[in-house]
Structure formats: structure tokens, C-alpha cells
Amino acid sequence: MTSAGVPSPPPPGGVLWSLAGDIRGLLMLPAALTLQVARPAVGAGVDDHSVFRTDPWGRGERSLSSLQLWVYGGEAAAEEGCRLRELHRTIQGTDARGRRYHALTPANYAWVHATGFPVYQHAARYLVRPLTDAQERALYREWLQVGRILGIHDRDMPQTVEEFWPYYRTMLADEVEATVVVRELVAVDAPVPPPDRGPLLLRLLLKALWPVLLPPLARFRSFITVGLMPPDAREAIGLDWTPEQERRLRRFGAAVRRIVPLLPERLRYLPLARSARAEWRVARGRRRGRPGERE
């Protein structure tokens, strides 16, 4: 917490700092988003109120910017958390099981937050490296801090890794299912408009080539979404995954692990993460330069 009692972002140089801003994190997000909407209340909220069908690129850009602020935004992190809560105040309705829902009901909001941890923990094995026990515990502590930024009370989040896994298994056993939105997110034939971001010439080119580009891109999106979802979550939702797909994912992960670390920082990290990392390095350098101070 800051001196004013406002939640602060996760610590610079932590496990989450390494994962969230790395371009490999982009490959992990679809699995987390899909696991979120497997809870019927969350799926219904997205189905009823989101623009993910009509403006998928804009929604994706906004979601990614928000996530980056939680981790690298400094004082803006808490402001973003407040903005999101305000945005979700009017989201309510009835889910597929006939139950009333509200987006800010603690159980629903906490689940949306919780899904990031098991996906990061699982996907890192393929795309980065397996986390040690110490790194897993650090990641969970840092993810709890993100929850506080989002306005989730400690009483509504498991406070340790040992408490998290029983909660997670109970959710998989009792709550998750292949909701309408889950099925759309893993479908290979769902209609997706061409990108409407970027330079005009690029947008025009993509629009012209979209009928050719979309089918392989949709297959890859489905493959990476299902593959990077933890196997127990995949099984609970009822998503198919074959041994051959697992071998392909392992080969893909091995290539990513070799190539990404060789990229220059401007290509490896997203803009806000890159700026925050640069500022952190400068601050560390200044601390090192102070007489009598040790890191």
C-alpha cells in the first residue's frame, strides 16, 4: 500500500513484471479470458454487455492497456482499478442457469481476477520456463496485489497458494462450463472483422487479404487458447485436446523460448512495460551510486 492507503502495483523486477509486459504474455491472454467467461455469470455479462463481437480489436486493445496499467502504471494503476469498477456497476442480468448476476458481486469479480494466476503459471512452462516454488509464491503475492488494485477485498481472495488451489478446484468442479462465449472464443469459424487499428495502408491490405488470412489465424487462436489453458480447466470445461496437439504446442513453445530472448527490448516488451523497465533501471543506477548504499 502507498502512504495514502491506495494500493500500489506489484514490485518492479518481480515475476509478474517479467511476464505481463513480455510479448509472450499476449499468447497467454486468450486462455485466461476464456477461463473467465467459463463461469456462467461472467460469460453472461460478456455475452449481454460486451462489444467483443462488433469491436474485437478495440476491446482487445483496451483490455491489454488496462492490464499493463495494473502492473506498470505506477499511481495510474489504482485509478485504472477505480475506472473498471465504475464501468462494471451497471452490468447485471440473468445467466444461462437462470441465476441473477452482477459483475461486481465479489465471487464473480474475484474469479475474473483469479484466472490469471493459473494461466500464467501453466503457460510459462511452455513459453518461458517452469516457475520454481519460490517464483510461484512470488507470482501469487503479486497477483494478490493486482486484485487489491482492482478493488477486491482480501477476504474475497485466497491469501496463499495453499488456499488458492482448493478454491480453484472447487470452481472447476461446480461452476465452469462451455458457455456461449467460451464456444465462440475457441471456434475456428466465428466471424471476425479485419483489424481497424494501425496505418491506413496496412489496414487496407489486411482487409483485402482477410478472407485468406482469417482461417489460419482463427485456427491458431483456438489452438493457443485451448493449449495454454491448464489441463484441469480444459477438462472441466469440456475442451478437446489431443496428444498430437500437445506435441505441436511443445514444439511451438520450444521455438518461442529460443527466439524471443534474442529480440531487442523494443520488440520483446510492450510500450508501457518497456518505459517502466527503463525508469526502474535508471532508479537502480542512482541507488547504486549513493555512497554507503547497498542493493
Side-chain angles (χ1 to χ4, degrees):
M1 302 287 283
T2 64
S3 57
V6 177
S8 55
V15 179
L16 191 55
W17 254 56
S18 298
L19 291 174
D22 190 300
I23 58 170
R24 287 171 286 190
L26 298 175
L27 297 170
M28 304 177 190
L29 290 180
L33 295 171
T34 303
L35 186 52
Q36 290 172 9
V37 298
R39 182 179 174 102
V42 180
V46 171
D47 193 17
D48 295 341
H49 298 275
S50 175
V51 296
F52 81 98
R53 295 184 182 96
T54 56
D55 184 24
W57 302 102
R59 185 183 186 276
E61 182 180 62
R62 292 188 293 273
S63 297
L64 182 60
S65 297
S66 185
L67 169 59
Q68 295 295 292
L69 281 172
W70 307 342
V71 180
Y72 305 103
E75 293 181 1
E79 296 173 7
E80 177 64 8
C82 291
R83 185 192 72 82
L84 286 176
R85 288 189 70 84
E86 187 62 33
L87 183 68
H88 285 82
R89 287 193 187 282
T90 59
I91 297 178
Q92 56 187 310
T94 304
D95 70 19
R97 298 185 184 182
R99 302 174 300 187
R100 294 291 300 171
Y101 72 83
H102 191 288
L104 292 182
T105 298
N108 296 333
Y109 211 56
W111 172 249
V112 171
H113 162 257
T115 55
F117 172 69
V119 170
Y120 273 133
Q121 187 256 10
H122 174 69
R125 300 175 185 175
Y126 293 88
L127 303 178
V128 187
R129 61 182 176 277
L131 300 179
T132 65
D133 287 345
Q135 288 172 330
E136 183 176 318
R137 290 175 184 278
L139 175 62
Y140 192 73
R141 288 194 301 271
E142 293 162 15
W143 200 240
L144 280 179
Q145 193 61 19
V146 168
R148 296 178 186 115
I149 287 169
L150 296 176
I152 304 172
H153 296 293
D154 279 0
R155 66 175 177 269
D156 296 318
M157 299 183 289
Q159 291 298 290
T160 65
V161 170
E162 289 80 7
E163 293 175 2
F164 174 80
W165 292 118
Y167 154 78
Y168 170 74
R169 288 191 290 269
T170 298
M171 290 294 296
L172 295 187
D174 299 340
E175 277 293 327
V176 306
E177 61 185 52
T179 62
V180 170
V181 182
V182 166
R183 292 195 295 271
E184 287 191 41
L185 292 178
V186 300
V188 297
D189 57 355
V192 178
D196 56 1
R197 274 23 182 201
L200 175 61
L201 184 60
L202 177 62
R203 282 184 279 137
L204 292 174
L205 180 62
L206 287 173
K207 184 175 182 180
L209 296 175
W210 200 237
V212 177
L213 295 175
L214 178 57
L217 288 174
R219 289 193 295 270
F220 176 75
R221 180 194 63 186
S222 179
F223 170 73
I224 209 71
T225 298
V226 179
L228 293 182
M229 186 178 293
D232 49 0
R234 188 194 302 147
E235 182 178 354
I237 298 171
L239 301 175
D240 294 330
W241 188 249
T242 67
E244 173 55 29
Q245 287 174 310
E246 178 66 20
R247 288 190 289 271
R248 285 170 51 204
L249 181 63
R250 289 178 183 275
R251 291 194 296 269
F252 173 75
V256 169
R257 291 196 305 273
R258 292 190 191 98
I259 294 170
V260 172
L262 301 177
L263 297 176
E265 184 140 329
R266 69 180 183 279
L267 298 179
R268 180 175 172 182
Y269 291 98
L270 299 172
L272 187 57
R274 195 164 62 243
S275 298
R277 288 169 60 86
E279 292 174 7
W280 178 56
R281 283 196 298 269
V282 170
R284 287 178 70 197
R286 288 172 179 163
R287 287 197 301 271
R288 286 174 176 170
R290 292 176 185 170
E293 283 204 14
R294 297 175 62 188
E295 228 177 301

